[in-house]
Amino acid sequence: MNTRNFEKDELFEQFRAVREFSEEISSPLATEDYVIQSMPDVSPTKWHLAHTSWFFEAFVLEKYDKKYKSLHPQYNYLFNSYYALVGERHCRPKRGLISRPTVDEVYKYRDYVNKKIEGFFTRSSEKEFREHAPVIEIGVHHERQHQELMLTDIKHVFSENPLKPVYLEAPSNGTNGKTAKQSWVAYPEGLYEIGRGEESFCYDNETPRHKKFLNPFKLSSRLVTNGEFIEFIEDGGYSRPELWLSNGIYTAEDNGWQAPLYWEKAGSKWHHFTLSGFKELNLAEPVCHVSFYEADAYARWKGARLPTEAEWEIASEDLEIEGNFVENARYNPVPLNGSLKNMKIKQMYGDVWEWTSSPYVCYPGYKTLPGALGEYNGKFMSNQMVLRGGSCATSITHIRNTYRNFFPPDSRWQFMGIRLAQDEN
Amino acid sequence: MNTRNFEKDELFEQFRAVREFSEEISSPLATEDYVIQSMPDVSPTKWHLAHTSWFFEAFVLEKYDKKYKSLHPQYNYLFNSYYALVGERHCRPKRGLISRPTVDEVYKYRDYVNKKIEGFFTRSSEKEFREHAPVIEIGVHHERQHQELMLTDIKHVFSENPLKPVYLEAPSNGTNGKTAKQSWVAYPEGLYEIGRGEESFCYDNETPRHKKFLNPFKLSSRLVTNGEFIEFIEDGGYSRPELWLSNGIYTAEDNGWQAPLYWEKAGSKWHHFTLSGFKELNLAEPVCHVSFYEADAYARWKGARLPTEAEWEIASEDLEIEGNFVENARYNPVPLNGSLKNMKIKQMYGDVWEWTSSPYVCYPGYKTLPGALGEYNGKFMSNQMVLRGGSCATSITHIRNTYRNFFPPDSRWQFMGIRLAQDEN
Amino acid sequence: MNTRNFEKDELFEQFRAVREFSEEISSPLATEDYVIQSMPDVSPTKWHLAHTSWFFEAFVLEKYDKKYKSLHPQYNYLFNSYYALVGERHCRPKRGLISRPTVDEVYKYRDYVNKKIEGFFTRSSEKEFREHAPVIEIGVHHERQHQELMLTDIKHVFSENPLKPVYLEAPSNGTNGKTAKQSWVAYPEGLYEIGRGEESFCYDNETPRHKKFLNPFKLSSRLVTNGEFIEFIEDGGYSRPELWLSNGIYTAEDNGWQAPLYWEKAGSKWHHFTLSGFKELNLAEPVCHVSFYEADAYARWKGARLPTEAEWEIASEDLEIEGNFVENARYNPVPLNGSLKNMKIKQMYGDVWEWTSSPYVCYPGYKTLPGALGEYNGKFMSNQMVLRGGSCATSITHIRNTYRNFFPPDSRWQFMGIRLAQDEN
Amino acid sequence: MNTRNFEKDELFEQFRAVREFSEEISSPLATEDYVIQSMPDVSPTKWHLAHTSWFFEAFVLEKYDKKYKSLHPQYNYLFNSYYALVGERHCRPKRGLISRPTVDEVYKYRDYVNKKIEGFFTRSSEKEFREHAPVIEIGVHHERQHQELMLTDIKHVFSENPLKPVYLEAPSNGTNGKTAKQSWVAYPEGLYEIGRGEESFCYDNETPRHKKFLNPFKLSSRLVTNGEFIEFIEDGGYSRPELWLSNGIYTAEDNGWQAPLYWEKAGSKWHHFTLSGFKELNLAEPVCHVSFYEADAYARWKGARLPTEAEWEIASEDLEIEGNFVENARYNPVPLNGSLKNMKIKQMYGDVWEWTSSPYVCYPGYKTLPGALGEYNGKFMSNQMVLRGGSCATSITHIRNTYRNFFPPDSRWQFMGIRLAQDEN
């Protein structure tokens, strides 16, 4: 993991901002909403708030100050997610059984950690700062990741409630169904380089930069829309085994999938549950909350395929990072308006994470970080697929063109969508 | 179900008192504590508070006033427990996924229902009162049952938390290990009558009164204590198949039972989790939180057996109802002090529900109530065992010598204990 | 368990006959058929053949002759069913994974045991004979029980095969739908005695004889027929919760029950799989392969109830034991022909085991046999219901009016059916 | 899939040989052994024998002759494995519940199909032959694949039997522990080509040939041995989370893995179950029956890694195909004897399939075959890992340096082992 030589002020400002934003995200919630775990993948909001604080405690404060005392001796047990080298942990699927510490106590814990980190910024020597600053930077990025999970998790929690609570009202996404025309953007074959090479921050799994030969390929100029995905449904897509991976169709059958997660037909029209409540589906919005299996089947139905992560990275290399991020406060993908000028590729960043056809494995020559932080990424390189580009719940400050997100192929509760690719021939 | 001709005032006072007591029981809880369901058998406290209100709505208010409107159209779906004839219900194991209505909203719902029932008392005609009073009386008893569940459920919820929260500090149970000597009390054979015959309130499953021939039998003068149960454990009781029912030892093995629920060895001494926190075990207290299977195996190990429910009922017929009930605010069984004078039987009421060897089936000639209230008791007469006598979490106003409680033989989270019986020979 | 003073010849003849009959039952099978376990409740035929031999080995031969050597040292492990006191056992659900010993080897094992028991009859002293004869007698009855299981198990095995194999062709059951009219037979109230009192053989669970007070009651003159059960189905019986025990309707829903086991609609007509193959349903035959839950729901739908085991025993006390037993080689219940003369009760024995409303518990004063044979019956007295009267797969030599068969309330693969009862009022 | 222009005679001889060899493999079995399915992954031997016949029926005979009639109308249902486009199939985990067709009938079915294919060879026109020959060739390779499964499946079936049956006695593997020294063989970086380019037969998943850039790398000169793997066990390898993928250690914990499949400590020495019975472990033999997770953890413990499939393919490109294959009739990997001359890489073919670090995905530009044969390989490209090189149960006629075998990362019942790789630096 490379880090710039941050100036203290800049890093402190990042720290302060990310800590504040977690609390801003939580502010629309009632106390009761913080407690619930609606499935094993989901964590209660108060757990996220505490775990992101624990991260600074375990990886910075306890290293920096050998006499450091946590606010409570059991918090290290309760709020360690999966770092085996840091010690025993509370069982993940039981996070929703823990009413204490209360939400108030968790906020006190955050304040406690914030003050201690503030103290570090004030009092650390140059040498100490150089030693711990890179880990604080990881902690900032770590908390941004959890902010996205807080939103997707609370969406899942609310969706289980027959009262269909509203997290925050967002403005309408405009005219239903109106979107820019789809076209294909071509890229030549070549021996490319992918992976992070610059000095600025990245995770270990984005490195090392390495050579990759690509055949010529084409990417779709925009994301697949709800309206296009409905055509797949209406063509019997969910019950045609020839379109699916074997694991995919069994997963769909076992779980009774007939449409993306959160979709529901009310009368003759498709609706979906959103963070702004239960709404009629806008056909022009990018389709969202589909698994890799559904994305893959849709692509096959279209006579196309999903991009590899290398293709996605090459195609995005020179694009400016702009799009519909969490800072927009839409909490939902939005339609692509206007015409596509100059055959440029659009919607690469923001809106939805784009499933690639690449299993999540290490790059050639990959090395994990030493110590428990080495568990951050590497140990999950099994039975997961890479997603690229960030979503409407990602912070614009968090995404990079080399950023590798990863989820099992049957996951649907993140903001996940589809961009098509094709071989050039 | 028989009912006395209650005077309005008396019934209203009962209603008011039971409604108030539910809120008193809840008062030590933090908001977060109300939300959690730690296993499918357990319901969140706020669900209990809402469901007991819904009961008056569904069975009284909607019958009395055709124009009655609930506070929320979805509450009938969310807070119906198992009354199929009243309509669709929210899935029981998902009660812990519902953050809304919030605790505040649930208290508003209680107030709303209380005011409406108050209105009924104020405005109902003599005829209307005669029609609905028996159902209000059932509602009062129903809420008392749920008050016991609120306590046993919150105990289970807290026990899952590594922080081991304290519900309420209770006074100590006195000297560890000191208790009255055990002896046997004999009863002659005879053609007895059991079941409720009086005019006063009872549930349908206690009727009709009917003849039952009993061989001569003996009951233990007191409950089995923790100290006595530890002897069973130390004699290898949990791993000696000859002592157990076949289903019992498989259940014990599958769940890794080595001691009663909530017991834990800390150092060389047994401790247990209580509503007053994690405590060293008082050896003189009645053993508690054992399943029927453990009670049955213990009895066999002792060369004894469990009583039948008819034996228990005959033995308790002339006893005054007194003991360690919820009104004592101990939330735990207490040791039997003093000597046993005159060979009298003790601890029949309160402390712990006593497992009997009687499967829960209907009495000869049993009739269920008409309509949805007929689902109250009868449909559970399968694979459950009868327990008698009430516990430290039962209200003294709720128990009768004909009262039939029932749980599956592997249940342990209620305050359940053991009284031994023997054949006279 | 009481035993007559058998003469050696008589007991040996019984032994020889039962051993021969097991092989006769197996004779229509192909080698492959002997191997399969189609669900955990089912055992492979070759396991039954070996286990019934092991029984004589473990309980007679090894006691009689300290130097006795089994044919193979592992057979005690493989063919012990559930006698914990005899030692470790092979895991029940894995009986179908064991191709060796082969069928031929199992027959050799049977011969080996037969010869050794023959030797016992030839050489045992009077004292030795008195000691072991009662256990041989149990072994004979034990093997008769397994003969019934062999038939019901092979029926289940064959039913899983899309080829629907035929075990043996049986003659037709006559005109479809023609049966004797149903009426009610009344019995007065009284303090009766039930349980085995005579000297002849019975199992421990039939004792001791004891007093039981019964209200006046009525039993149906005959069994419920397929045609009558179809009316229940067509009246929506399987989806009306008010007719069912709570456990019952959940079981039905979870397993997708819409009709008795082995029923299948082919075109507009109900068919069922039988040991004679896949046949159109004869509406006059007693309904069969229903669980206790279905029997109970049917009775409630009819405004009736199931009999208690005491009522059944009193009603059958003076009846001759006759009916459609395994000796008839029909392997299916048959319609009741002719008119019912003199209001006599019919079909009490044979055809189908009749579900009672009595949970299987011990009689007052019950004592198990000493040693491992004490595990024969007593340890199963939990979550099972009593059935009475024997079936078309039971031997006439095996049944008594005090005989208590027992199965969990969700079992269906035995020949199980319904007789209705009512209170007299 | 490319095919040479086979001469009829050559293809017929291949067909004849492969059909015969399936029966030769089965010949040591008792009838009962053919029936059993010891886990869902395993199929009964008689199913393999029938399914490989069905393959020729469904893909050749029914296409060639529209009037073709199978021996039984249900065989298409029973013996279709996973070809959704060919129609409904019997449920895979229930293959062990089917006693009929009997083993004799399955052999008759094989003869029937053999004669029909023989008829095709005799009577087909040149044009017909050109059309169907490539599919017959696939059928031949398909049957060779199943021959390997027959051996691994019967090994699993026998291992479940406490009697530990012997399939065939094989000669001893020589001196325990004596093996050639391990060294590293280096390969330079480069833009290589992998995938099948020649005209001769291959599966669709080996194509198209395509460019792949590789960093410099080293492969171990030989496979990891039992003795080396024991060092990992004794160093606590199975309980050190830092060595494992997250999914891996959970799988190991959930399944209680403490050693490779079939290993068992008898006294102080490791033994393993083999097709020649239960034997003491030869420390010099290649370790076998490890999952990808164990292989990956072992490599990390050694400071090495697993090879990618591209590295394996480049390293094996010019090697002669020779090794310990099924034709050797050892049914177990054998130690590498002698010294390693000239730093040559050894044991690349035969002995054990070598786990690679490459998830099984399609090559760039991959196209499936048209029709149901397109389901052969492509639909399994999810959550599986590639293995290379063949095993002691593979036919030498079946393996190629481009051959891609694939199994889920938790599979262990194939002959699967470990070769280490390292980055050159």
Side-chain angles (χ1 to χ4, degrees), chain C residues 28-33 35-38 46 72 74-75 77-78 90 94 96-104 157-158 160-163 165-166, chain D residues 28-33 35-38 46 72 74-75 77-78 90 94 96-104 157-158 160-163 165-166:
Chain C
L29 302 179
T31 301
E32 292 84 344
D33 300 331
V35 179
I36 289 171
Q37 176 171 40
S38 50
K46 82 183 170 81
H72 194 291
Q74 285 278 41
Y75 286 0
Y77 176 81
L78 282 176
H90 190 239
K94 295 190 156 193
L97 306 187
I98 303 301
S99 57
R100 317 283 180 93
T102 62
V103 173
D104 272 358
V157 168
F158 279 7
E160 281 286 347
N161 193 327
L163 304 179
V166 170
Chain D
L29 302 180
T31 301
E32 293 85 343
D33 302 330
V35 179
I36 288 171
Q37 176 172 40
S38 50
K46 81 184 172 80
H72 194 290
Q74 285 279 42
Y75 285 0
Y77 176 80
L78 281 176
H90 190 238
K94 294 189 157 195
L97 307 186
I98 302 301
S99 56
R100 318 284 181 94
T102 62
V103 173
D104 272 359
V157 167
F158 279 6
E160 281 286 348
N161 193 328
L163 303 181
V166 169

Side-chain angles (χ1 to χ4, degrees), chain A residues 25-34 45 150 154 158 167, chain B residues 100:
Chain A
I25 286 176
S26 310
S27 60
L29 302 180
T31 301
E32 293 84 344
D33 301 331
Y34 286 83
T45 304
M150 285 163 70
I154 205 70
F158 279 6
Y167 166 74
Chain B
R100 317 284 181 92

Side-chain angles (χ1 to χ4, degrees), chain B residues 346-357:
Chain B
K346 298 284 186 181
Q347 295 179 307
M348 290 287 275
Y349 292 108
D351 285 316
V352 292
W353 287 100
E354 303 178 19
W355 283 110
T356 73
S357 63

Side-chain angles (χ1 to χ4, degrees), chain B residues 239-307:
Chain B
S239 49
R240 290 171 52 186
E242 73 273 20
L243 300 174
W244 292 72
L245 288 165
S246 183
N247 283 348
I249 197 137
Y250 288 130
T251 303
E253 284 170 7
D254 289 354
N255 294 283
W257 292 351
Q258 305 279 352
L261 182 63
Y262 301 136
W263 285 32
E264 201 181 312
K265 228 169 185 166
S268 64
K269 290 205 169 141
W270 282 109
H271 290 61
H272 62 155
F273 179 71
T274 73
L275 282 166
S276 309
F278 192 64
K279 305 273 188 193
E280 191 185 331
L281 204 65
N282 183 331
L283 302 181
E285 285 171 15
V287 69
C288 189
H289 297 302
V290 290
S291 66
F292 169 78
Y293 293 130
E294 287 157 297
D296 171 79
Y298 177 85
R300 198 168 288 111
W301 174 74
K302 266 294 194 191
R305 59 171 175 83
L306 300 177

